Amino acid sequence: MTSKSDWLSFPDAPHIVVPPPGPRSRELLAEQARLETDAIGYPHYFPIAPKVAQGATIEDVDGNRFIDWVAGISVLNLGHRHPRLVAALEAQSHEIWHALELPTEARIRFLRELEGVLPGGLRGHARIFFTVTGGDAVETAVNLADFAQGKQGTVAFSGAYHGVHGGVVNLTSGRRYHSTSYFGTGKVIRVPYPDPYRPVLGADKGAAGTIAYLEHLVNDPSSGVDAISSVLVEPILGEGGYVVPPDDFLPSLREFCDRHHILLIADEVQSGLGRTGRMWAVEHSKVTPDILCIAKTVGGGIPLSVVAYRSDLVKELPRGFHLGTYRANPLALAVGAETVRVLKEGDLIDQTRSRGEQLLSRFRSLADRHPSIGDVRGKGFMIGVEFVHNRTSRLPWGDRGKAMRAALLGRGVLMHTAGAWDQVLRFMAPLIIEDELLDRGLAAFEDSLESLDATPERTATTSPQVPHRAEPAPHLHPPPEHAIPSPVMPERPGRNLEEKDAS
Ligand SMILES: Cc1ncc(COP(=O)(O)O)c(C=O)c1O
């Protein structure tokens, strides 16, 4: 993709000078473990202490250089310290750092840039709500939908991850805050996500089963559902395992929502801003949501999130409908505006689409040689490689996922898991990654697979220096039928134990 002269990454990565964690990393990890809560997860998954990062690479304090296929969980679509973002940050740092909701130039520049790239019917017809995190954006979006609809009831899907906000407003005392936040009494209607690999409602045959179920919820007075205000959907499941739904899913969901005057909220926190080879994942199916949640890459690595909503959705929102001191930080806005500009100017997103297709077939050809890989799916640089105990049962192999993560780390490649059992290795490199680093990462992936195949029951290794709690052994039962997966799946570990966290 690039000539050596314009590499953004450390060109010699992966380069392991001492098996990670090296001595200095161990010191910092131990100090972190002493001082910080033990509720944090990432030091267990990637026991290294980063020092400096460039493009798609990270160097740790021991001088090890890693290829970064995690990208801060899709925060760094433009990689670490992209020169144009560094320049934008530096310029803004000489102006103003905090300005509440006042219209700084950075703020207006950001709004204009974002307006120019919104999907379909939202472009030119949207208003923007600033928030700080992904969860914050989703919470605001759902509140907005409930306010606009004058009723509550959100369809959310199995496997969904939308953050862990919600609820704190109940501790705030003002009635006016309670009157626009519905989380205290919020109603969630859980519907199976159409997962073609693990179909629950016939997702292997398209979206019809899911839509029929939704129709039943609306039409049958005894369905148990009183009202539906909105449907909240990830166009591709993120934390749930990089599950790509059938092509007709989003268009059918759009039609369903239109038929019943239900609002469609797309959570593009992880899939947005070029990640899937389009600016927005919804653009693959030409669907425009009524409300779009944007976070992660939109701040280029500085906390910033946004809700874009159809301007005709509500006539007027009460002042202070949603609040937060740090919304729309000028430093984040300056970097965010430049991020959007970089993404829309060049052909990076088109390249991500075509390079993603090549990568999919390269991962699939690995699957041809390694039966522990049950499925490979994805779009752009959002690719999931799912490990199973065997292809007939499709029983998820979480230990293999975790062992792969550890084996890759030892080879200088950072790659995270996803899925309820950590059974999916997810490829989410920065979009700017050089081709050579893809080749080297794939070689490390195959090498790791081969070494694990040679010792099949090896489980994930964790640094002995990093205190960790034992993971309960998964209960593996003989699987009757992959189409009815719930009774045969290993039990998901409790949140406080080993569940990976999302960022
Ligand atoms: C799809 C999706 N929505 C929301 C969130 C929550 O974002 P945050 O961690 O910034 O609250 C995440 C985080 O991974 C996500 O993947």
Side-chain angles (χ1 to χ4, degrees):
M1 168 199 158
T2 42
S3 70
K4 282 270 188 250
S5 58
D6 47 35
W7 268 53
L8 294 175
S9 307
F10 294 124
D12 60 346
H15 184 63
I16 297 296
V17 291
V18 50
R24 182 68 183 135
S25 286
R26 282 170 195 262
E27 272 174 43
L28 297 184
L29 285 160
E31 200 59 353
Q32 179 184 39
R34 189 177 73 81
L35 293 167
E36 262 189 66
T37 169
D38 55 4
I40 51 176
Y42 284 102
H44 299 282
Y45 317 140
F46 304 105
I48 57 167
K51 184 171 179 67
V52 56
Q54 239 176 254
T57 48
I58 295 179
E59 184 180 303
D60 74 6
V61 287
D62 297 290
N64 288 324
R65 286 184 168 178
F66 299 88
I67 299 177
D68 181 6
W69 279 5
V70 176
I73 317 288
S74 208
V75 165
L76 301 160
N77 287 3
L78 294 183
H80 295 270
R81 299 192 306 111
H82 189 289
R84 284 189 45 189
L85 307 195
V86 173
L89 181 65
E90 148 102 76
Q92 186 62 38
S93 76
H94 296 296
E95 293 184 359
I96 186 165
W97 293 24
H98 188 87
L100 296 170
E101 294 168 327
L102 302 179
T104 57
E105 285 176 349
R107 190 177 187 114
I108 302 305
R109 199 163 57 239
F110 174 87
L111 286 166
R112 288 187 175 143
E113 291 292 349
L114 186 69
E115 182 184 35
V117 299
L118 288 176
L122 278 180
R123 196 171 308 165
H125 303 281
R127 301 191 79 169
I128 296 300
F129 216 125
F130 281 113
T131 44
V132 182
T133 67
D136 193 10
V138 174
E139 180 171 318
T140 304
V142 171
N143 276 334
L144 189 62
D146 287 357
F147 183 85
Q149 296 273 60
K151 60 183 174 189
Q152 295 157 46
T154 311
V155 168
F157 291 91
S158 53
Y161 183 85
H162 299 293
V164 293
H165 288 63
V168 78
V169 69
N170 299 310
L171 300 176
T172 296
S173 63
R175 276 188 202 133
R176 76 186 187 94
Y177 303 116
H178 298 170
S179 70
T180 55
S181 181
Y182 305 100
F183 272 84
T185 54
K187 292 181 183 165
V188 175
I189 302 128
R190 190 68 62 182
V191 171
Y193 194 81
D195 177 350
Y197 188 59
R198 301 185 185 287
V200 175
L201 297 171
D204 49 342
K205 296 175 190 67
T210 307
I211 302 301
Y213 185 67
L214 287 166
E215 288 289 353
H216 150 76
L217 295 180
V218 172
N219 295 328
D220 184 337
S222 60
S223 70
V225 172
D226 298 330
I228 300 179
S229 146
S230 62
V231 173
L232 168 65
V233 67
E234 290 168 84
I236 294 180
L237 272 194
E239 299 307 302
Y242 279 27
V243 174
V244 182
D247 287 346
D248 62 340
F249 176 50
L250 284 180
S252 320
L253 203 55
R254 178 71 272 179
E255 283 166 24
F256 164 80
C257 287
D258 290 343
R259 256 194 315 281
H260 298 287
H261 307 288
I262 290 169
L263 297 175
L264 182 63
I265 307 174
D267 178 349
E268 293 247 23
V269 166
Q270 189 158 165
S271 59
L273 293 155
R275 168 71 33 207
T276 68
R278 300 266 178 208
M279 185 63 85
W280 310 103
V282 290
E283 289 176 334
H284 288 283
S285 41
K286 299 189 173 57
V287 160
T288 304
D290 302 298
I291 307 179
L292 177 66
C293 305
I294 309 167
K296 295 193 187 267
T297 281
V298 78
I302 308 194
L304 176 70
S305 66
V306 168
V307 178
Y309 62 98
R310 256 181 36 215
S311 46
D312 61 348
L313 214 60
V314 276
K315 227 166 154 194
E316 202 179 351
L317 279 180
R319 192 166 299 160
F321 177 82
H322 183 81
L323 294 169
T325 311
Y326 291 110
R327 290 170 305 147
N329 170 270
L331 296 169
L333 290 169
V335 177
E338 196 62 10
T339 298
V340 175
R341 201 175 292 161
V342 173
L343 282 169
K344 81 173 175 206
E345 269 175 14
D347 60 353
L348 187 61
I349 296 183
D350 289 338
Q351 282 191 33
T352 303
R353 201 163 57 248
S354 54
R355 293 167 90 205
E357 276 161 21
Q358 291 160 17
L359 279 165
L360 254 188
S361 51
R362 291 175 76 181
F363 276 115
R364 282 188 176 136
S365 70
L366 279 183
D368 292 341
R369 298 195 288 280
H370 296 275
S372 57
I373 298 178
D375 192 34
V376 176
R377 67 252 171 174
K379 281 192 197 299
F381 276 16
M382 197 170 180
I383 295 175
V385 179
E386 172 151 358
F387 288 93
V388 288
H389 281 276
N390 75 62
R391 285 183 177 168
T392 313
S393 70
R394 301 188 180 185
L395 189 66
W397 196 2
D399 279 347
R400 173 49 66 96
K402 287 183 269 190
M404 277 295 290
R405 185 175 63 202
L408 280 160
L409 177 80
R411 287 165 177 75
V413 178
L414 307 180
M415 193 174 190
H416 201 14
T417 54
W421 298 270
D422 286 297
Q423 79 279 23
V424 179
L425 263 283
R426 49 175 147 168
F427 171 81
M428 53 178 162
L431 315 185
I432 50 81
I433 190 170
E434 294 80 1
D435 283 338
E436 286 88 335
L437 295 186
L438 293 178
D439 296 343
R440 292 177 208 162
L442 276 163
F445 193 93
E446 177 143 39
D447 194 39
S448 303
L449 262 176
E450 277 167 4
S451 78
L452 291 175
D453 280 347
T455 49
E457 289 305 321
R458 204 180 120 188
T459 52
T461 53
T462 310
S463 158
Q465 262 58 41
V466 185
H468 69 284
R469 300 174 189 205
E471 182 185 8
H475 307 300
L476 301 179
H477 304 293
E481 181 60 88
H482 71 256
I484 318 162
S486 38
V488 302
M489 297 297 193
E491 217 169 71
R492 187 184 175 119
R495 269 208 72 82
N496 293 333
L497 295 169
E498 261 297 283
E499 187 178 349
K500 75 192 167 306
D501 36 33
S503 290

